[in-house]
Amino acid sequence: MRPIPLSALQHHAFCPRQCALIHNEQAWADNFLTAQGNALHERVDNGEPEIRKGIRFERNVHVCAEKWGLTGILDMVEHDLHSGSLKPVEYKRGKPKPTPIDEIQLCAQALCLEEMTGKTITEGALWYGQTRHRVCVAFSDSLKAQTTEIITQVQQLLNSQHTPPPQYGKHCKACSLVEICQPKLFNQDRSPHYTAQLFGED
Ligand code: SF4
């Protein structure tokens, strides 16, 4: 199975076309939102491991899970040296979202850690830069089921090698790939209709 990056889950939730453009067509462009996110992650990633109050804070942790076909780098893993428990922590530029995609991405990180360590990961945390707030996330059975469902959808999309057509909407204004995607132009494209007429399929 082709391993997919953990980040593809977020990209898919934002827009399946964006996910396919980035992960199948290797398209990338930055905008001010991605630049802010990069700056935040650089601050986090450059930190060395440290131990405070019996917790070891491990940054920039590389993970790979064959069972789930996932690979990626975790912002931080907190290792409780007394209980041995592990807790993934993900840093986000913005604020909590109306959908549970951040929780799903964090849960996917936990699935990777579980496969690699053989431990059960019961909770993690999301830290939001805009609200400067940490949110605890419990990895319930329903969140794990939602997460595996999304992983399957993303794998199906990326393995299909098909880039879906754009669905122009408000999210396009925040998309760093808007110049590459050209959603408005694509929607005005009459060539499929023209070729269908030409070959008598219309
Ligand atoms: S511009 Fe819109 S349709 Fe195109 S990839 Fe970005 S979000 Fe998706």
Side-chain angles (χ1 to χ4, degrees):
M1 191 195 306
R2 168 191 166 187
I4 58 168
L6 285 160
S7 61
L9 306 183
Q10 282 272 345
H11 296 140
H12 182 270
F14 183 75
C15 169
R17 177 171 168 81
Q18 191 206 57
C19 181
L21 284 171
I22 292 172
H23 298 284
N24 274 354
E25 301 194 26
Q26 277 71 53
W28 184 253
D30 274 314
N31 64 7
F32 75 100
L33 293 171
T34 58
Q36 279 181 349
N38 291 344
L40 173 67
H41 281 97
E42 264 169 34
R43 281 206 301 277
V44 177
D45 293 347
N46 285 340
E48 293 293 317
E50 56 179 323
I51 297 177
R52 274 185 278 126
K53 295 183 180 172
I55 309 277
R56 181 180 167 89
F57 299 88
E58 198 76 51
R59 296 177 169 86
N60 219 9
V61 179
H62 291 244
V63 292
C64 183
E66 208 175 315
K67 178 180 172 189
W68 304 108
L70 289 172
T71 183
I73 303 173
L74 313 194
D75 289 342
M76 184 187 284
V77 175
E78 293 178 358
H79 181 192
D80 186 319
L81 298 176
H82 300 297
S83 66
S85 69
L86 298 172
K87 191 185 281 190
V89 180
E90 171 76 6
Y91 287 76
K92 295 290 178 195
R93 181 197 59 78
K95 54 187 180 184
K97 301 179 177 65
T99 66
I101 186 56
D102 290 344
E103 287 80 357
I104 285 170
Q105 192 189 14
L106 191 70
C107 186
Q109 296 183 359
L111 293 177
C112 292
L113 284 175
E114 284 189 345
E115 184 174 320
M116 290 175 73
T117 64
K119 293 183 177 186
T120 301
I121 315 287
T122 56
E123 61 176 37
L126 295 162
W127 189 89
Y128 289 97
Q130 202 171 328
T131 54
R132 306 194 66 76
H133 192 66
R134 179 174 163 129
V135 179
C136 287
V137 178
F139 300 129
S140 63
D141 288 345
S142 69
L143 179 58
K144 284 188 173 176
Q146 260 184 301
T147 303
T148 55
E149 172 63 30
I150 298 287
I151 292 169
T152 303
Q153 284 178 20
V154 176
Q155 271 161 350
Q156 282 171 350
L157 170 73
L158 295 182
N159 287 333
S160 75
Q161 296 290 325
H162 169 70
T163 300
Q167 299 293 329
Y168 184 69
K170 270 200 297 192
H171 60 322
C172 297
K173 291 198 174 111
C175 178
S176 67
L177 298 190
V178 67
E179 289 299 320
I180 296 169
C181 170
Q182 295 289 338
K184 281 187 180 169
L185 204 62
F186 202 103
N187 283 346
Q188 290 163 4
D189 181 9
R190 304 296 299 152
S191 57
H193 175 67
Y194 173 74
T195 48
Q197 268 190 332
L198 203 62
F199 295 105
E201 296 166 0
D202 212 15

